[in-house]
Amino acid sequence: MSEEMRSMDLEELTTALTEMGESAFRGRQVFTWLHRGVRSFDEMSDVSKALREKLAARYRLGGPTAVRKQVSREDGTIKYLWELYDGNCIETVLMRYRHGNTVCVSTQAGCRMGCAFCASTLGGKVRDLTPGEILEQVIFTRLDSGVPVSNIVLMGIGEPMDNLDNVLKFLELVNHPLGLNIGMRHISLSTCGVLPGIRRLGELGLQLTLSVSLHAPDSETRSRIMPVNRAYDVDELFKACHDYFKKTGRRISFEYAMIDGVNDADWQADLIVKKLRGMPGHVNLIPLNDVAESPLKPSRRTRKFQQRLESQGVTATVRRSLGGDIDASCGQLRRKAMERKECEV
Ligand code: SAH
């Protein structure tokens, strides 16, 4: 299989081109075209025909095709189901917020983390996405929708920390001044709590926002709904979060899907308060999306839970749910397409 060109950084491109006998500035030229979203080398109009042919013989350059696009009538959220070159399908969501338009990207085809409430993990992980495939979701969502993009969240299908090398390279690419030039402060990365990844990210000290999918502050409950907790216990997770804050000075955001009778008790709110002490955390309460395959149901105590956190000094917000009319969350669209055999697993 030929090498995928949109995964290469500027240095790699420049080296490859100079090895082909080209001058170094060609690297910048080609890099710029790639990030503008060309789908064929022939679109690189200021690159000679001879070089375009040489590149086409050596590299793969295509991009995903939209097999489904759904636009929410309620709030303008757009959801794409993209088919990759090998038949795999992934989802990308564009959300319109007052503070800027946000693209939610997938980092893997499927997921192997096994969270009980999540549709993305039902068929397991198929493969990691390359840096270029993560980047293309932003590039082609922007091109297709015509909507400018200012923020990115790595909260689509997959566990970013389970594909961290590719995710880090994606961050470098999307941040590049010759590319989309999206600043780290406009990017959030969400993890279910894969500790080595959190530690590695902490060492790098990037200015992005780390989100941790907490969903329960006690070991017993968390292990029940999130198998990752059996490998990396919630107490170690909190410790890693405190260390991350000390190293980076960045406030962590904790995601908490409210599940009826499972994680919505007062004592669990109190335990969150206790375990966050010493760190300015922010808890984002998410109304559980009802996944047909799961017996878990949305909580009716969300406001009470929020008040209990807030009254003890922990900032807590309730996430506004967007795109409810278009299955715009958590792997549900891919799941349905797989069932209809519209795309491969
Ligand atoms: N694997 C990463 C990235 C996925 S982000 C992670 O776990 O953080 C997607 C977010 O949506 C996570 O916080 C996830 O726990 C949450 N989520 C998954 N299924 C959900 C559901 N049915 N309802 C509400 N939130 C859900």
Side-chain angles (χ1 to χ4, degrees), residues 302-313:
T302 304
R303 292 286 164 199
K304 277 219 173 81
F305 201 83
Q306 179 191 22
Q307 281 157 12
R308 190 138 184 133
L309 290 171
E310 293 253 318
S311 67
Q312 298 177 77

Side-chain angles (χ1 to χ4, degrees), residues 117-118 155-156 158-160 190-192 213 215 255 257 288-289 291 330:
F117 43 80
C118 182
M155 295 191 181
E159 168 51 46
S190 181
T191 177
C192 64
S213 299
H215 303 319
E255 311 294 302
L288 182 78
N289 276 301
V291 173
C330 315

Side-chain angles (χ1 to χ4, degrees), residues 29-53:
Q29 216 174 18
V30 171
F31 187 88
T32 308
W33 280 116
L34 292 173
H35 289 240
R36 269 190 218 157
V38 292
R39 284 189 180 266
S40 98
F41 291 99
D42 283 335
E43 290 176 56
M44 300 183 177
S45 54
D46 54 3
V47 173
S48 73
K49 189 154 193 294
L51 177 57
R52 290 190 327 238
E53 279 169 6

Side-chain angles (χ1 to χ4, degrees), residues 86-139:
D86 60 355
N88 269 300
C89 279
I90 51 165
E91 291 175 37
T92 308
V93 186
L94 172 72
M95 293 163 292
R96 325 282 295 261
Y97 292 114
R98 234 169 289 135
H99 65 266
N101 300 314
T102 302
V103 172
C104 175
V105 295
S106 297
T107 54
Q108 297 177 314
C111 182
R112 61 185 183 122
M113 296 295 136
C115 298
F117 43 80
C118 182
S120 299
T121 200
L122 289 169
K125 178 180 112 169
V126 185
R127 71 169 173 86
D128 289 330
L129 299 186
T130 63
E133 285 171 331
I134 307 174
L135 178 71
E136 283 170 342
Q137 295 172 61
V138 187
I139 292 177

Side-chain angles (χ1 to χ4, degrees), residues 14-237:
T14 306
T15 308
L17 284 156
T18 45
E19 276 168 6
M20 290 165 86
E22 296 292 325
S23 55
F25 80 91
R26 286 270 179 238
R28 298 173 70 84
Q29 216 174 18
V30 171
F31 187 88
T32 308
W33 280 116
L34 292 173
H35 289 240
R36 269 190 218 157
V38 292
R39 284 189 180 266
S40 98
F41 291 99
D42 283 335
E43 290 176 56
M44 300 183 177
S45 54
D46 54 3
V47 173
S48 73
K49 189 154 193 294
L51 177 57
R52 290 190 327 238
E53 279 169 6
K54 264 199 273 179
L55 292 174
R58 207 157 135 179
Y59 295 103
R60 181 154 52 84
L61 170 65
T65 37
V67 286
R68 225 161 227 276
K69 175 182 178 183
Q70 299 185 327
V71 182
S72 164
R73 265 185 292 257
E74 291 166 13
D75 51 45
T77 299
I78 306 180
K79 180 149 188 170
Y80 290 94
L81 183 72
W82 302 106
E83 184 172 342
L84 306 176
Y85 75 96
D86 60 355
N88 269 300
C89 279
I90 51 165
E91 291 175 37
T92 308
V93 186
L94 172 72
M95 293 163 292
R96 325 282 295 261
Y97 292 114
R98 234 169 289 135
H99 65 266
N101 300 314
T102 302
V103 172
C104 175
V105 295
S106 297
T107 54
Q108 297 177 314
C111 182
R112 61 185 183 122
M113 296 295 136
C115 298
F117 43 80
C118 182
S120 299
T121 200
L122 289 169
K125 178 180 112 169
V126 185
R127 71 169 173 86
D128 289 330
L129 299 186
T130 63
E133 285 171 331
I134 307 174
L135 178 71
E136 283 170 342
Q137 295 172 61
V138 187
I139 292 177
F140 293 111
T141 294
R142 180 171 157 259
L143 280 180
D144 183 273
S145 65
V147 173
V149 172
S150 50
N151 301 294
I152 294 173
V153 294
L154 288 92
M155 295 191 181
I157 297 170
E159 168 51 46
M161 299 299 195
D162 190 36
N163 184 20
L164 192 52
D165 287 334
N166 287 349
V167 163
L168 290 175
K169 190 149 184 216
F170 155 72
L171 293 174
E172 180 199 338
L173 292 172
V174 81
N175 187 227
H176 199 285
L178 289 178
L180 295 178
N181 198 12
I182 296 181
M184 285 293 171
R185 285 175 183 272
H186 296 271
I187 301 178
S188 294
L189 184 154
S190 181
T191 177
C192 64
V194 180
L195 294 197
I198 295 180
R199 293 193 192 109
R200 194 169 152 205
L201 205 62
E203 297 295 333
L204 292 172
L206 301 177
Q207 295 295 297
L208 53 71
T209 300
L210 177 64
S211 287
V212 170
S213 299
L214 182 63
H215 303 319
D218 60 295
S219 246
E220 199 191 319
T221 311
R222 198 163 190 271
S223 288
R224 224 175 94 205
I225 54 177
M226 300 178 75
V228 68
N229 196 70
R230 295 173 210 150
Y232 305 112
D233 185 77
V234 66
D235 282 325
E236 289 171 58
L237 173 61

